[in-house]
Amino acid sequence: RTGSSPLAFILTGIPGVAVSSPWVALPLCCLYLLMLLGNCCLLWAIRAEHALHTPMHQLLSLLALADLGLSLCTLPTVLAVFCVPATSLPFQVCLAQMFFIHTFSAIESGVLVAMAFDRFMAICHPLRYGSVLSGSLVARAGVLIVLRGTCVVLPVAALMARVPFCRPRVLSHSFCLHQDMLRLACGDVWPSSWYGLGAVILTKGLDLLAILLSYVLILRAILGTVAPGARAKAFSTCICHLCAVLLFYIPLISLSVIHRVGKHLPRLAPTLLADAYLLVPPVLNPLVYSWKTKQIHRWILLLLCWR
């Protein structure tokens, strides 16, 4: 690192939009409030309704916690960029934010795999569902998912802490991502770059393959059902999970591809994809599940009316 001044990164907002813009800050505040309200209501409804004390809804609680963590660790910097001109972030704070963003992202990916296995057992092996997916198994799976996400991302942060930076330290986003920070590094960065790529492949890449395999088996079981009504009912139980998978993986994969091979694209593309990746799933997941699950819908309405 060069210079005597402390290492810091300059955060940027949306290209073409002026900083300190209330027209951007106000909608962002509304989205964050909607995210907080939706996920907190979802957690409260699952806790209050005894009929929702099932493996699927226990995993849904973990998904809501991951969504909350993913959004809250970006909330201060995202709002600061549109309220304070030339927002900068010390290197240690940026490194910590990067660690938490990627850790919560890996946790969410693991939860989506566990939810896919839950749907696989419910549709393909319904008689064994209760005996296999016990509460203790779900709790152990949750602990393993959190440990996996933490242990995989921790070396990414450790390697990034040793990377030298000697270029203009202006990030492409209003938060710190590994790919974006690595773009500003100089010197030999291949250990950090290749480990980061390997971590993505070994977590989200394998998770996505596991989800696809689960749905191939689910689809085969559904098509093997004779009654059309039974097919529609079985498939309807997977709609919410499929929506959560698409909301999470489509922006994630698109952002990863753009950061590595899409340098010629306009700056607006990675900015919008990063915002969608970190904010759209936490906002829409509670809406999708509350719309599909009547008990959650009822408890959320009761909470809103009470308030």
Side-chain angles (χ1 to χ4, degrees):
R1 298 177 175 90
T2 60
S4 58
S5 60
L7 179 60
F9 293 96
I10 304 297
L11 304 176
T12 58
I14 300 174
V17 177
V19 295
S20 303
S21 173
W23 303 108
V24 177
L26 183 61
L28 282 174
C29 287
C30 293
L31 283 176
Y32 274 109
L33 286 174
L34 183 60
M35 178 276 301
L36 286 170
L37 181 63
N39 284 285
C40 289
C41 287
L42 186 64
L43 290 169
W44 182 80
I46 293 173
R47 179 185 175 88
E49 179 62 54
H50 187 269
L52 299 179
H53 294 175
T54 63
M56 182 63 180
H57 292 96
Q58 290 170 352
L59 293 171
L60 180 57
S61 298
L62 187 55
L63 182 69
L65 290 173
D67 281 336
L68 283 170
L70 193 61
S71 295
L72 289 177
C73 63
T74 64
L75 172 62
T77 57
V78 170
L79 295 183
V81 164
F82 295 101
C83 297
V84 181
T87 303
S88 64
L89 206 62
F91 174 74
Q92 292 79 6
V93 178
C94 192
L95 190 67
Q97 187 184 54
M98 181 207 74
F99 170 76
F100 284 113
I101 287 175
H102 291 291
T103 298
F104 281 116
S105 179
I107 291 172
E108 181 156 353
S109 180
V111 174
L112 290 174
V113 174
M115 296 174 81
F117 179 73
D118 174 273
R119 292 299 85 201
F120 165 76
M121 290 298 301
I123 293 174
C124 300
H125 303 284
L127 298 180
R128 298 175 55 194
Y129 178 83
S131 60
V132 173
L133 286 175
S134 60
S136 60
L137 178 64
V138 173
R140 289 197 298 269
V143 172
L144 288 175
I145 289 170
V146 173
L147 287 177
R148 185 196 70 155
T150 305
C151 293
V152 168
V153 179
L154 194 58
V156 176
L159 289 170
M160 182 60 71
R162 302 170 61 89
V163 170
F165 294 91
C166 53
R167 301 176 185 175
R169 301 165 193 140
V170 180
L171 296 174
S172 303
H173 309 294
S174 50
F175 40 81
C176 302
L177 294 177
H178 177 254
Q179 309 97 311
D180 200 22
M181 293 175 66
L182 204 62
R183 177 182 58 85
L184 305 178
C186 59
D188 187 11
V189 297
W190 74 265
S192 182
S193 177
W194 282 101
Y195 181 83
L197 179 61
V200 171
I201 294 173
L202 290 175
T203 53
K204 291 152 189 169
L206 292 181
D207 289 349
L208 185 57
L209 287 177
I211 292 172
L212 291 175
L213 177 61
S214 298
Y215 273 98
V216 168
L217 298 175
I218 289 172
L219 186 61
R220 188 177 68 175
I222 291 176
L223 294 178
T225 304
V226 177
R231 293 180 186 177
K233 184 178 180 180
F235 186 74
S236 67
T237 64
C238 302
I239 291 178
C240 292
H241 180 253
L242 280 173
C243 290
V245 169
L246 294 175
L247 288 172
F248 179 75
Y249 279 104
I250 289 178
L252 171 64
I253 294 173
S254 302
L255 182 64
S256 299
V257 170
I258 283 180
H259 267 297
R260 293 192 178 272
V261 300
K263 296 181 174 61
H264 62 283
L265 294 176
R267 284 183 55 205
L268 185 62
T271 300
L272 294 180
L273 280 174
D275 291 339
Y277 157 56
L278 293 177
L279 199 53
V280 171
V283 170
L284 293 185
N285 281 341
L287 298 178
V288 170
Y289 277 97
S290 63
W291 166 72
K292 190 65 180 176
T293 307
K294 292 181 180 180
Q295 294 95 330
I296 296 177
H297 192 192
R298 177 168 58 86
W299 277 99
I300 290 179
L301 288 177
L302 285 173
L303 179 63
L304 293 176
C305 293
W306 176 74
R307 285 181 178 269

